[in-house]
Amino acid sequence: MRNRINSTMYLGLFLALIISAFTMIGCGGGKNTVSGSPTPTPSPTPVSGSANLTASPSSVGFGTQALNTAMTQTVKITNTGTAAITITQDTVAGSGFSAGVTTPINLNAAQSVNVPVVFNPGAAGTVNGSLTLMSNGTSVLSIPLSGTGLAPLAHSVDVAWDPSVSATLQGYNVYRSTVTGGPYTKLSATLSPTTLLFTDTTPVSGKKYFYVVTAVDTSGAESSASSEVAVTIPVP
């Protein structure tokens, strides 16, 4: 009897273990007991586009320019990257340089914008500067600038003409313009009828001037202007 009782106890214990194991497997109402999401191996690296600005030309040289005479060159700014960029600020360094930039400027990939850069020297000598474009406080492009200011030298222009054949001639007027066709500015009081030459002592280096002459009769009536003569003042 002792052996049978022991066998029965062992059998009961064995069945209890089977029932316990079955209960653990079957609980949960069929829900997946695995928590969290699967993680790829290796982990993927995100790929994001980036902007890249280039300038054409990459640097701007103005050469020699007469003082207080502005010269403008155009720089093409292109976003050669794969993402958009916003130019939020521009900074110009160097005396006499300026740029026609109105920020903010939004440039998508492959888009361009033309920026006028001006050199108007106020003093003689060579100036080196730069145009820097920034995006949210970070410099994204810097363009070197250079130019030389030239102090004006003394120049003069002699304007001569053929005499009028009018019997009532009183004299002549000499006019000058910086634009072909005028408007013209009178350079002197009415000259005597025997004067056939006038010397203009106010030209500036590097500029172009246009001259005309008129005849005035004794009643004060003025003739139409002569043919225009153009003169370019040399730059040393």
Side-chain angles (χ1 to χ4, degrees):
M1 285 295 293
R2 182 177 303 172
N3 291 338
R4 291 182 61 186
I5 292 173
N6 290 342
S7 297
T8 302
M9 291 177 61
Y10 294 151
L11 179 60
L13 178 60
F14 177 72
L15 289 175
L17 290 174
I18 292 176
I19 293 171
S20 176
F22 177 78
T23 302
M24 292 175 62
I25 295 173
C27 289
K31 293 182 181 179
N32 189 350
T33 59
V34 179
S35 61
S37 301
T39 302
T41 304
S43 299
T45 301
V47 178
S48 60
S50 61
N52 182 61
L53 295 184
T54 61
S56 179
S58 57
S59 62
V60 182
F62 288 89
T64 300
Q65 193 68 16
L67 296 188
N68 303 311
T69 303
M71 181 179 183
T72 302
Q73 293 196 43
T74 299
V75 180
K76 185 178 183 180
I77 307 298
T78 303
N79 181 2
T80 59
T82 57
I85 188 172
T86 300
I87 301 171
T88 56
Q89 182 182 353
D90 69 287
T91 302
V92 180
S95 177
F97 295 113
S98 60
V101 180
T102 301
T103 55
I105 299 174
N106 297 313
L107 287 180
N108 292 323
Q111 281 191 323
S112 300
V113 63
N114 290 327
V115 175
V117 181
V118 180
F119 179 50
N120 188 2
T126 299
V127 181
N128 292 307
S130 64
L131 167 62
T132 301
L133 303 180
M134 306 186 73
S135 179
N136 299 319
T138 300
S139 174
V140 290
L141 181 65
S142 184
I143 305 165
L145 309 175
S146 63
T148 299
L150 178 67
L153 302 177
H155 292 282
S156 64
V157 175
D158 290 334
V159 182
W161 57 93
D162 295 328
S164 170
V165 295
S166 172
T168 58
L169 178 67
Q170 177 185 343
Y172 302 96
N173 289 329
V174 180
Y175 295 85
R176 185 184 76 183
S177 176
T178 56
V179 180
T180 183
Y184 299 97
T185 301
K186 188 176 179 180
L187 294 180
S188 69
T190 300
L191 304 174
S192 71
T194 58
T195 300
L196 301 176
L197 175 70
F198 174 80
T199 300
D200 179 12
T201 59
T202 60
V204 176
S205 299
K207 286 196 173 184
K208 189 172 185 178
Y209 297 97
F210 303 87
Y211 295 89
V212 295
V213 178
T214 63
V216 182
D217 66 16
T218 53
S219 67
E222 190 171 15
S223 71
S224 57
S226 66
S227 299
E228 186 180 72
V229 175
V231 177
T232 300
I233 308 303
V235 176

